[in-house]
Amino acid sequence: MNELIKHAKELLEKGEVAAVIGYRQVSEKRTKPVIITEPEETRALVFNEYCLNNLAVYLTKARIKLLGRKNNKSFKLAITAKPCDVHSIVALIQENQIDRDKIHIISFNCHGVVKDFGFDFNGDNLSSKCITCETHKPLYYDKLLGEVKETPQARDSALERIKEIERMPHNERFEFFRSEFDKCIKCYACRAVCPLCYCQRCITDKTIPCWIETSSHQRGNFAWNVIRAFHLSGRCTGCGECDRVCPADIPLSLINRKMTIEANNLFSFVSGRSLETPTLVGSFNEKDNDELFM
Amino acid sequence: MDEKIISRVDLMKICKDVIDKGNTLLTPGAADYYVVKDISDIILDTSALPSKISHKSYVFPRTEPVLYYKRSKNDVQLIDINIDSKKIVILGAKPCDANSINIMKHLFNWDHSDEFFNKRANNFMVIGLMCSHFDEYCFCTSVRSSPVSEKGSDLFLIPVDINNYALKIITEKGKEFISPYSGYLKPGDEKNSKLITENVRQPEAAFDSSEVYEWLGENFESPKWEGVGNLCLSCAQCAFVCSVCHCFDITDEDYSYTEGRRMKNWDGCQFGNFTLHASGHNPRDIQSKRYRQRVNHKFRYYVDRFGEILCTGCGRCSRGCPVSIDIKEIVSNCNDNQKEFLK
Amino acid sequence: MPHTAEIKEIIDESPDTRTFRLRFRDAETNDRFKFKAGQFAEYSAFGDGESTFCIASSPTQRNFIECSFKVYGKVTQSLRRLNKGDTIGIRGPYGNWFPLEDFKEKNLLFIAGGIGIAPVRCVFNNVLDLRDEFKNITIIYGARSVSDLIYKQEIKEWKVRKDIKTVITVDPGGETAIWDGEVGFVPAVLEKIAPESENTVVILCGPPVMIKFTLPVLTGLGFKDEEIYTTLENRMKCGLGKCGRCNIGNVYVCKDGPVFTYAEIKKLPREF
């Protein structure tokens, strides 16, 4: 921990970065994001199993990007990121939303996080993304901290659930999604926490023409959730934030994970894993699988 | 005030009768208040966390039609809405939630009366239940309420032992509701229930709402808003799970070439386009202004207008906030310039 | 529940501004619908929603009401697609009004910019109908360009009248070869003609940026804050003080406004 604080403090003191986006502890089993611009404030920084937020979401916000303007310092931002959050950063770099050289990535050897605040860290309460995680060491970083620890073993119940839904007959599957989407209250928290939902103007905010009904009845809810799933397919890095924050407990990560599996099966592509391969939707190859065209 | 004793078994009999008569019985679950189909589902747990989403949608639905229209060649025919006004009994409402309809009533009835709200609100029968839960986000005691507050309840339950409840009859409406079931009631012992309520663990008051009121009046331009504005991601989770947030949007939607309806939908003040003018001008153009509006509306504007704080202290908004912004922390630190993290 | 009204006439004021002359479908509503200068209404294009504009015709005009709108968003685009004889919805009148009773025996200075001429025109025509009750009347109206000026026919009539002073201006670059009015932004023109501030009430409407720069000029010319009336426009949905978006501080623009004096505005938080 001291290493993290020391490093962040140094960055700010030397003026290398305008701000450090990190976590601070608010209670024993909860942290929250904090945006630090003063070197002394870095003492609040922590990193542990309760650092759930994917802070990459802040990197595309104009007000954060421009923090450097005020004090005439560097426009560079430092971010503390779990290895899985680095995937989101990679995806954002690839989609030309941020510059690699404007981001200083402080990452960690990660052994998993809890599924939500307030839980004890063990195999039963492991976040589902951590169960299948293969990147305990970040793929890209400017500073690597933390020691290597064993990840608790857990069962991949999410995948089992996806298989179960796949096996359902059509009408039953529709009924399943209908009942899940019925709960949606259209607070758009899923959109707000998603690092890849960075559109300045979301399609739901467009009124001329109005593509998606803003009412949270069945039609409007289906339109929103299905369109969001499609806009994220081949782009979602699987951070699971939408699922965690949904106040109605809609299992959004099941949908996103299914789309990720499909994209991987069809094009052998998983978003945010490499700075060298072009994005899936941004590239075309004659040999691309065309099975999904009808 | 009248106080009786009722056994859990008899209470369940009343619940069953309510359902059998075709009324809606609501009770809090972990995620939401839900409609009880089978009385064996009823938990009535005083130590439960407030549900993730409040019962607001039953009195102020997240989406509802306000009129239907039918276009013909030149003319438009308007069809009024028949407001569905089924009786709703809400059993085991947390004291914080029980008062929410009363708080919203002011807004929906000043100047113009909103019949959609009123019809539903008048059909509500609130049976409150003492609360013995509190966590780091609860702050009912800071907003003129408490875990044993009877405000807003028509009947109020206090568990006296494992099988029995003290039943306080608070309003005429409650009296009317319970009178057909008087056979189930035994005389109560006010001393005993008072002893219980006095010994309930209560969250310590985190702030003085009148101090917050003053501070907000003087610190509209405080640099503190910028910190929280940087952090907030502009979703409406806080507004939509809140039991007293009442802002809405009105929008038309066609469902055929000639027919459609006008909808009244929940809307949230944290959305960027909430106040966006068609010309592109936006009075609350940045997130810090929108967050300032939220806090001011709750702790100052509503007090100015209606004399009540637009907050029940349930802590839902903070518990569910994607970036853990804690409204209690913010208002309780507002006066403290030493607290650098109003973030 | 809105009333339905028939579009009796459509006047194309400028490339993007239209005026509707409206008559309620229901004769009883026609008789009952009364309003005061400055009040607004919610106009619906069924299928696309409602939009808020002031009533642009004078309350003394009893056979019809008029509204003028600039095509900006979804509803105004939809309204523009309507033809003569089509139906729109009207709810209202809502909000407060200009206290004309208090203006009697005073000089009046009207200042309007862009579509802000619509509410000004309502009061102005109302005042002209009661011309004897007021002293000197001056109107300054500015638009982006000559083609953006609206109510052109009426302006002509105003110009020939000897009992009012009419100053029309367009922004620099917006003039044409034959333009004979002023060229310059409204605050600058106001400063130039420097109207008498003694015993004068100002009625000021226009885009937020114009109001922002005009108010200091008025103060500089010696106008009192309590004598400067303006309208604040905020996005509204219900018009009934419920939906929660038009508020500035604890004031609901739809109920406590849209007409405010500068003195009242100064007490409000800066959020408009």
Side-chain angles (χ1 to χ4, degrees):
Chain A
M1 204 60 53
N2 288 333
E3 249 182 297
L4 166 65
I5 294 169
K6 210 177 107 198
H7 181 64
K9 198 172 174 190
E10 219 172 80
L11 287 173
L12 283 168
E13 274 170 351
K14 285 188 187 158
E16 280 179 36
V17 297
V20 180
I21 309 170
Y23 304 93
R24 74 174 170 99
Q25 202 78 34
V26 281
S27 61
E28 194 197 341
K29 288 171 189 167
R30 186 157 183 150
T31 67
K32 73 190 266 188
V34 61
I35 294 154
I36 290 177
T37 48
E38 300 305 322
E40 312 83 66
E41 291 178 359
T42 52
R43 69 190 137 83
L45 287 174
V46 295
F47 184 81
N48 54 39
E49 296 87 0
Y50 295 98
C51 294
L52 301 186
N53 288 79
N54 182 349
L55 301 177
V57 67
Y58 286 110
L59 294 176
T60 51
K61 300 265 177 283
R63 57 178 189 265
I64 308 292
K65 273 185 172 175
L66 296 176
L67 272 178
R69 177 183 284 177
K70 225 174 36 185
N71 38 21
N72 236 342
K73 271 192 224 154
S74 153
F75 273 70
K76 206 166 173 173
L77 293 169
I79 178 170
T80 58
K82 302 186 287 292
C84 53
D85 301 340
V86 175
H87 298 330
S88 304
I89 300 174
V90 170
L92 286 173
I93 294 170
Q94 285 200 294
E95 294 186 10
N96 289 320
Q97 294 305 310
I98 49 176
D99 278 340
R100 176 67 184 94
D101 24 314
K102 294 253 170 66
I103 308 291
H104 180 95
I105 304 171
I106 307 170
S107 194
F108 305 86
N109 287 306
C110 174
H111 58 284
V113 292
V114 290
K115 60 183 174 190
D116 207 344
F117 297 118
F119 287 97
D120 288 323
F121 182 70
N122 58 40
D124 293 338
N125 297 327
L126 196 63
S127 173
S128 78
K129 67 179 167 189
C130 304
I131 298 166
T132 49
C133 179
E134 283 161 4
T135 40
H136 298 291
K137 187 179 171 223
L139 298 173
Y140 300 90
Y141 55 86
D142 296 298
K143 178 84 181 174
L144 182 66
L145 299 167
E147 49 200 284
V148 182
K149 275 191 206 159
E150 192 80 6
T151 307
Q153 289 296 309
R155 209 162 51 108
D156 189 1
S157 52
L159 191 65
E160 289 166 18
R161 187 81 183 117
I162 290 174
K163 295 249 165 74
E164 210 176 291
I165 296 166
E166 278 172 350
R167 281 194 300 270
M168 286 178 183
H170 270 118
N171 53 350
E172 207 178 298
R173 202 186 308 164
F174 182 82
E175 191 48 40
F176 168 76
F177 281 114
R178 194 196 58 74
S179 66
E180 289 296 339
F181 292 157
D182 256 2
K183 299 189 288 189
C184 177
I185 56 174
K186 287 219 170 176
C187 67
Y188 299 119
C190 45
R191 175 182 76 180
V193 288
C194 181
L196 287 158
C197 270
Y198 52 71
C199 290
Q200 290 281 323
R201 202 162 167 215
C202 176
I203 187 164
T204 55
D205 294 338
K206 289 184 181 156
T207 52
I208 317 170
C210 182
W211 294 108
I212 301 179
E213 284 173 351
T214 50
S215 317
S216 74
H217 48 41
Q218 201 181 102
R219 211 165 49 171
N221 284 353
F222 253 90
W224 162 243
N225 285 289
V226 171
I227 284 185
R228 186 168 179 276
F230 274 93
H231 280 187
L232 283 173
S233 51
R235 298 174 61 234
C236 172
T237 60
C239 72
E241 280 287 275
C242 47
D243 199 313
R244 177 181 70 83
V245 301
C246 180
D249 294 332
I250 302 170
L252 292 164
S253 65
L254 290 186
I255 303 170
N256 291 332
R257 185 152 168 209
K258 164 75 179 161
M259 297 310 272
T260 306
I261 293 170
E262 289 299 313
N264 197 14
N265 287 346
L266 287 165
F267 305 101
S268 314
F269 179 88
V270 183
S271 175
R273 299 311 195 261
S274 155
L275 278 171
E276 278 74 44
T277 31
T279 60
L280 180 59
V281 272
S283 61
F284 175 71
N285 186 333
E286 277 180 23
K287 295 195 185 88
D288 272 352
N289 188 321
D290 57 4
E291 256 173 54
L292 75 173
F293 298 105
M294 281 182 276
Chain B
M1 194 195 309
D2 214 2
E3 184 169 327
K4 304 280 183 208
I5 294 281
I6 187 166
S7 72
R8 190 183 158 96
V9 180
D10 290 339
L11 185 65
M12 290 304 124
K13 282 182 193 156
I14 297 177
C15 291
K16 190 166 184 313
D17 191 52
V18 168
I19 301 171
D20 289 347
K21 280 188 179 145
N23 301 314
T24 307
L25 183 73
L26 278 183
T27 196
D32 200 349
Y33 276 74
Y34 63 93
V35 178
V36 180
K37 296 209 176 70
D38 184 347
I39 52 159
S40 62
D41 296 342
I42 297 172
I43 305 161
L44 272 187
D45 183 5
T46 59
S47 65
L49 205 78
S51 57
K52 271 190 166 180
I53 302 175
S54 78
H55 61 297
K56 172 174 73 175
S57 63
Y58 291 91
V59 58
F60 172 41
R62 58 193 198 207
T63 177
E64 71 173 322
V66 290
L67 72 91
Y68 291 97
Y69 53 82
K70 215 182 221 168
R71 288 185 298 255
S72 51
K73 195 169 177 299
N74 281 139
D75 205 1
V76 178
Q77 197 194 337
L78 302 180
I79 303 139
D80 230 334
I81 296 288
N82 210 350
I83 304 164
D84 165 38
S85 54
K86 226 169 153 188
K87 194 169 187 77
I88 296 181
V89 178
I90 168 163
L91 176 73
K94 291 256 165 205
C96 47
D97 291 341
N99 201 23
S100 78
I101 295 173
N102 273 352
I103 294 178
M104 278 195 285
K105 250 181 198 163
H106 297 291
L107 184 275
F108 284 109
N109 283 295
W110 83 282
D111 196 66
H112 168 92
S113 289
D114 185 310
E115 50 174 331
F116 294 91
F117 177 88
N118 283 343
K119 262 208 176 143
R120 292 202 181 86
N122 292 340
N123 271 314
F124 249 78
M125 164 74 216
V126 182
I127 308 178
L129 173 68
M130 183 195 92
C131 172
S132 62
H133 161 89
F134 79 84
D135 62 10
E136 56 189 296
Y137 298 108
C138 285
F139 58 99
C140 53
T141 45
S142 313
V143 290
R144 309 176 192 168
S145 181
S146 84
V148 293
S149 162
E150 295 146 5
K151 264 193 256 173
S153 295
D154 297 304
L155 297 169
F156 194 75
L157 294 169
I158 298 161
V160 285
D161 57 50
I162 200 150
N163 292 319
N164 292 291
Y165 293 94
L167 178 83
K168 288 190 175 185
I169 300 164
I170 318 280
T171 61
E172 276 304 308
K173 205 172 170 184
K175 198 172 174 184
E176 215 170 281
F177 171 83
I178 204 75
S179 61
Y181 309 109
S182 53
Y184 296 134
L185 306 178
K186 280 167 267 175
D189 175 8
E190 264 180 60
K191 257 192 221 147
N192 186 25
S193 68
K194 201 168 172 214
L195 198 70
I196 294 168
T197 53
E198 273 171 359
N199 283 316
V200 166
R201 277 191 330 145
Q202 301 207 1
E204 222 173 280
F207 55 87
D208 178 349
S209 57
S210 51
E211 265 175 36
V212 173
Y213 174 89
E214 293 299 327
W215 186 85
L216 289 169
E218 288 154 17
N219 290 277
F220 195 75
E221 304 290 353
S222 166
K224 289 189 171 192
W225 298 119
E226 199 191 316
V228 64
N230 278 342
L231 215 56
C232 177
L233 294 172
S234 320
C235 72
Q237 186 276 145
C238 48
F240 286 9
V241 299
C242 177
S243 63
V244 287
C245 269
H246 52 252
C247 291
F248 59 86
D249 183 22
I250 299 174
T251 174
D252 283 11
E253 46 188 50
D254 284 358
Y255 46 80
S256 79
Y257 190 68
T258 52
E259 288 169 296
R261 54 190 171 177
R262 181 157 290 170
M263 306 296 284
K264 176 174 155 193
N265 295 334
W266 285 359
D267 207 345
C269 55
Q270 304 303 297
F271 288 140
N273 52 5
F274 184 66
T275 52
L276 178 68
H277 294 193
S279 64
H281 173 73
N282 194 344
R284 297 200 272 272
D285 51 351
I286 52 173
Q287 192 50 39
S288 53
K289 291 187 187 172
R290 300 195 274 270
Y291 200 83
R292 176 175 70 188
Q293 158 70 14
R294 180 173 167 78
V295 177
N296 265 294
H297 192 195
K298 291 200 169 295
F299 295 98
R300 188 171 172 95
Y301 304 157
Y302 209 76
V303 181
D304 277 344
R305 278 272 165 188
F306 309 113
E308 291 229 42
I309 302 168
L310 188 62
C311 177
T312 62
C314 65
R316 280 190 179 91
C317 53
S318 316
R319 229 170 266 126
C321 177
V323 291
S324 310
I325 294 173
D326 184 353
I327 196 163
K328 177 180 93 178
E329 187 189 359
I330 283 168
V331 293
S332 44
N333 289 353
C334 66
N335 251 335
D336 189 348
N337 283 325
Q338 297 306 307
K339 294 267 184 194
E340 67 268 53
F341 292 125
L342 190 87
K343 288 175 178 172
Chain C
M1 192 78 168
H3 303 293
T4 52
E6 187 191 336
I7 302 173
K8 282 291 189 191
E9 212 166 312
I10 295 173
I11 306 144
D12 271 316
E13 305 279 6
S14 80
D16 58 3
T17 307
R18 228 168 220 204
T19 298
F20 281 165
R21 184 165 289 183
L22 303 157
R23 212 180 143 74
F24 292 104
R25 292 255 177 220
D26 173 23
E28 199 198 327
T29 315
N30 253 328
D31 294 337
R32 231 181 27 219
F33 192 89
K34 288 200 176 73
F35 66 97
K36 287 183 172 160
Q39 287 194 294
F40 67 93
E42 295 283 340
Y43 303 84
S44 18
F46 293 100
D48 285 305
E50 285 186 324
S51 195
T52 317
F53 339 112
C54 68
I55 302 169
S57 52
S58 163
T60 45
Q61 179 58 262
R62 297 290 305 140
N63 295 320
F64 56 82
I65 65 166
E66 284 181 340
C67 69
S68 299
F69 57 91
K70 194 164 181 147
V71 178
Y72 260 131
K74 183 182 173 189
V75 180
T76 45
Q77 280 194 6
S78 171
L79 284 174
R80 191 194 170 92
R81 282 195 292 271
L82 296 176
N83 296 312
K84 200 169 158 177
D86 284 351
T87 302
I88 72 165
I90 300 180
R91 283 194 295 135
Y94 295 131
N96 68 355
W97 50 86
F98 290 98
L100 284 191
E101 324 71 73
D102 301 347
F103 296 175
K104 284 178 186 168
E105 301 303 316
K106 284 183 178 167
N107 303 320
L108 299 181
L109 170 63
F110 293 87
I111 306 172
I115 190 72
I117 187 67
V120 164
R121 177 220 192 195
C122 168
V123 204
F124 192 64
N125 284 339
N126 195 356
V127 164
L128 290 187
D129 288 337
L130 312 163
R131 182 64 190 91
D132 301 341
E133 299 180 14
F134 308 95
K135 290 190 169 159
N136 298 336
I137 295 179
T138 310
I139 183 163
I140 304 173
Y141 166 39
R144 235 176 266 169
S145 70
V146 174
S147 65
D148 283 315
L149 288 169
I150 66 169
Y151 305 134
K152 289 194 179 76
Q153 197 52 44
E154 267 171 63
I155 291 175
K156 269 185 204 156
E157 290 164 21
W158 296 344
K159 274 185 174 170
V160 294
R161 278 182 79 148
K162 290 277 176 294
D163 58 347
I164 49 178
K165 186 178 176 190
T166 309
V167 180
I168 311 293
T169 177
V170 293
D171 291 355
E175 70 270 30
T176 57
I178 53 159
W179 174 244
D180 58 350
E182 297 279 339
V183 177
F185 293 107
V186 168
V189 172
L190 172 68
E191 213 160 10
K192 196 175 115 190
I193 64 166
E196 173 63 40
S197 61
E198 192 59 36
N199 193 31
T200 305
V201 171
V202 184
I203 290 117
L204 168 69
C205 297
V209 60
M210 183 199 100
I211 296 197
K212 189 178 158 196
F213 287 107
T214 307
L215 287 173
V217 176
L218 286 170
T219 311
L221 290 170
F223 288 93
K224 286 198 219 89
D225 292 348
E226 309 78 53
E227 304 269 282
I228 302 173
Y229 288 82
T230 184
T231 59
L232 290 176
E233 275 81 34
N234 261 357
R235 188 175 184 183
M236 296 174 194
K237 286 282 181 178
C238 68
L240 301 164
K242 308 272 178 272
C243 78
R245 69 195 67 223
C246 70
N247 74 301
I248 300 170
N250 61 10
V251 163
Y252 286 103
V253 173
C254 67
K255 299 300 310 182
D256 309 314
V259 179
F260 293 94
T261 64
Y262 188 28
E264 286 166 340
I265 288 178
K266 274 190 168 166
K267 285 189 210 136
L268 295 177
R270 311 267 113 200
E271 200 177 64
F272 43 82

